[in-house]
Amino acid sequence: MEILYRKDAPVDLLDRQAILDNPISRASRNRLQTVTQILIDLIQARQSDGPVVLMGVGAGPGRHVQTAISRLQSSADEVHAHLIDLDDDAFEYGQQLAEQLGISDCISFLQGDALEIQMVLPDVKPNIVKLIGLIEYLNDQQLHELLSALHTIMAPGGNLVTHGILDPWHGAPSLKRIFNLQHIRRSGDDVRQILETVGFRVIDQVTEPMGIYPIVTAVKPAQG
């Protein structure tokens, strides 16, 4: 995904198709910009109440979260982000990115299973959770279990940002054939329904310009 976000120069025709010419690649870059701005707005709305705690799940290097924090020029006293992933392959790159952005003190990387988040981070109650680039690989039961685990540990009134995925450009067959990529498609309403069964309330939904990613923001009600 980092190659897509950076729009690295393609080395051949197949690489060009993956990075530049595929609708989902362009949509992913749109999603990055949209989600980053949502995170910025959510952080700003909470900063007057004290330190903001973020959590990125399936976070990789944490590009969305790191970009948001760096654009706000936030300090570790104002914002801290816990970036969790089952695989730590992207953590070294993420740490280098944090150093380049001057926000290393604001970022913690943790290898672990978000389903066991209460044991992995028992004392952390995030105000904002970013769940981007993961749920399209989870079936409904897996997604329900993950959202339930996150709902349990989030601070009351906390926000979760996630998304669905659609195929208006009919690119799924070529993604499967060329790149062996298969996604579980869900509309924004599909995502809303699953979130509501767990106890979240959806407060906003936008779709990036390619029409592929409906981006959903939800809240854990204060009484939850």
Side-chain angles (χ1 to χ4, degrees):
M1 292 303 297
E2 281 296 306
I3 294 173
L4 294 183
Y5 293 154
R6 295 194 307 260
K7 292 181 71 172
D8 288 356
V11 298
D12 54 30
L13 289 177
L14 187 61
D15 206 37
R16 180 181 180 85
Q17 171 68 11
I19 297 172
L20 299 178
D21 295 337
N22 194 296
I24 201 168
S25 300
R26 284 174 275 170
S28 295
R29 288 188 285 271
N30 293 338
R31 184 184 66 184
L32 170 64
Q33 298 304 318
T34 301
V35 170
T36 298
Q37 187 58 53
I38 290 171
L39 293 176
I40 288 171
D41 294 341
L42 292 175
I43 294 168
Q44 287 181 315
R46 292 179 176 278
Q47 282 186 316
S48 61
D49 298 327
V52 180
V53 180
L54 283 83
M55 181 178 293
V57 179
R63 168 68 68 173
H64 302 76
V65 170
Q66 294 210 47
T67 303
I69 292 173
S70 66
R71 288 182 182 172
L72 286 169
Q73 298 183 329
S74 298
S75 69
D77 293 332
E78 297 170 314
V79 179
H80 193 87
H82 301 271
L83 303 178
I84 302 168
D85 205 304
L86 275 173
D87 193 334
D88 65 355
D89 285 355
F91 287 177
E92 182 178 355
Y93 176 83
Q95 290 162 348
Q96 293 172 355
L97 177 62
E99 290 175 5
Q100 292 170 6
L101 295 174
I103 58 170
S104 295
D105 291 345
C106 299
I107 305 293
S108 297
F109 290 92
L110 181 67
Q111 184 177 11
D113 188 344
L115 289 175
E116 300 174 354
I117 195 65
Q118 283 183 292
M119 292 182 287
V120 175
L121 287 172
D123 300 321
V124 173
K125 297 190 75 67
N127 309 110
I128 302 169
V129 173
K130 183 219 62 137
L131 182 57
I132 301 294
L134 176 61
I135 78 168
E136 60 266 49
Y137 301 103
L138 304 178
N139 62 37
D140 284 355
Q141 180 179 344
Q142 292 169 327
L143 179 55
H144 190 280
E145 291 174 355
L146 175 58
L147 290 173
S148 295
L150 296 173
H151 184 276
T152 298
I153 59 96
M154 286 176 63
N159 294 111
L160 181 141
V161 183
T162 190
H163 65 89
I165 184 169
L166 301 171
D167 189 26
W169 300 83
H170 308 291
S174 63
L175 286 175
K176 180 180 178 181
R177 184 177 65 254
I178 300 172
F179 303 111
N180 196 30
L181 274 178
Q182 290 182 271
H183 300 124
I184 296 176
R185 279 179 262 175
R186 295 185 181 94
S187 68
D189 286 342
D190 293 334
V191 175
R192 175 193 296 266
Q193 290 175 10
I194 296 175
L195 286 165
E196 289 177 348
T197 64
V198 173
F200 287 101
R201 177 169 56 86
V202 172
I203 58 173
D204 190 41
Q205 179 179 319
V206 297
T207 301
E208 51 74 35
M210 297 296 293
I212 291 176
Y213 291 114
I215 299 162
V216 179
T217 304
V219 63
K220 175 180 175 177
Q223 68 272 21

